[in-house]
Amino acid sequence: MNIHRNPLCGRNFEYFSEDPLVSGICASAMTDGVQCGNGTGTTIKHFACNNLEDNRKGSDSVLSERALREIYLRGFEIAIKKSQPMGLMTSYNLVNGVHSANNYDLCTQVARNEWGYKGMIMTDWTTTDSYGGSEAWMCPKVGNDLIMPGARSDEESMAAALAEGKLTDDDLRSCAERLINVILRTNAFKNSVPYRTRFGF
């Protein structure tokens, strides 16, 4: 769902559009089609401003709040408000100096509090590795529910943060609750119910 910010981005061919309105409508329509039946869902990505292929884990997308909201977040906002996708994947890059996977403003304040997002938020693969840049313990702290693919070092990071009081049981329980709500809508649960039915969309 990312916008063509750099003509050299190697994944431009995968993105819906240069227009956030078109991108949001396309993502919403695809999500509605996939999620109309029991047990299936979509994951929209990469949240947000993942507009470079080179140095994806180290690049910093620096932009004004107006540009961020009107261009780079608008498609995600449309898809979430209209269709409530099952998953939202954060990106590798930093947004104004903060890694997306560790970004409270993106994961909690914008997606959940402002847009009313009900699904799970997950990291991109290996973003918490030593070369990834994101702190594992900060992911659940900011509302990023699932670290992919997960490693022993992630567990150690969270255990240390719990012991130091930087991460709380409530942080982890909130993530677990959101993950359980997703599981109850998937084929892993024999009585799965479509998201629209569960939450009245």
Side-chain angles (χ1 to χ4, degrees):
M1 293 189 62
N2 295 114
I3 302 299
H4 296 188
R5 191 180 197 204
N6 186 323
L8 301 180
C9 179
R11 300 184 75 166
N12 278 349
F13 72 96
E14 295 180 309
Y15 301 158
F16 284 127
S17 174
E18 296 177 359
D19 185 323
L21 175 63
V22 175
S23 182
I25 290 172
C26 287
S28 174
M30 291 185 72
T31 297
D32 286 343
V34 170
Q35 295 187 173
C36 68
N38 287 15
T40 56
T42 64
T43 300
I44 57 175
K45 62 181 187 176
H46 296 88
F47 190 65
C49 303
N50 185 76
N51 306 102
L52 291 171
E53 191 63 22
D54 184 50
N55 190 28
R56 290 176 72 197
K57 294 185 178 181
S59 66
D60 188 1
S61 299
V62 178
L63 65 170
S64 68
E65 183 174 0
R66 180 176 181 181
L68 179 64
R69 288 182 175 272
E70 292 184 3
I71 300 172
Y72 300 100
L73 296 184
R74 182 56 55 86
F76 290 97
E77 179 183 7
I78 292 168
I80 286 172
K81 286 183 173 178
K82 288 176 66 67
S83 302
Q84 284 289 340
M86 189 179 287
L88 173 65
M89 180 185 284
T90 53
S91 54
Y92 286 131
N93 56 284
L94 296 84
V95 178
N96 291 334
V98 181
H99 278 278
S100 292
N102 293 161
N103 197 316
Y104 177 86
D105 288 341
L106 288 177
C107 295
T108 296
Q109 183 56 38
V110 173
R112 298 193 192 283
N113 294 347
E114 293 184 23
W115 299 344
Y117 183 56
K118 304 293 186 185
M120 71 162 181
I121 299 178
M122 61 192 293
T123 71
D124 205 339
W125 262 238
T126 68
T127 190
T128 56
D129 284 359
S130 58
Y131 58 89
S134 299
E135 293 285 344
W137 72 268
M138 282 190 67
C139 291
K141 184 72 178 177
V142 304
N144 204 326
D145 306 310
L146 182 63
I147 296 174
M148 294 302 295
R152 178 68 67 184
S153 58
D154 297 330
E155 297 176 29
E156 293 167 354
S157 171
M158 285 186 268
L162 278 167
E164 295 168 16
K166 296 188 293 186
L167 183 66
T168 68
D169 283 340
D170 286 344
D171 296 327
L172 296 176
R173 288 177 184 274
S174 294
C175 293
E177 179 182 0
R178 290 188 289 263
L179 289 172
I180 290 168
N181 277 327
V182 167
I183 291 168
L184 294 176
R185 315 191 338 249
T186 68
N187 287 327
F189 184 66
K190 66 180 180 180
N191 295 319
S192 66
V193 177
Y195 205 17
R196 287 180 176 273
T197 304
R198 285 180 58 79
F199 291 102
F201 291 98

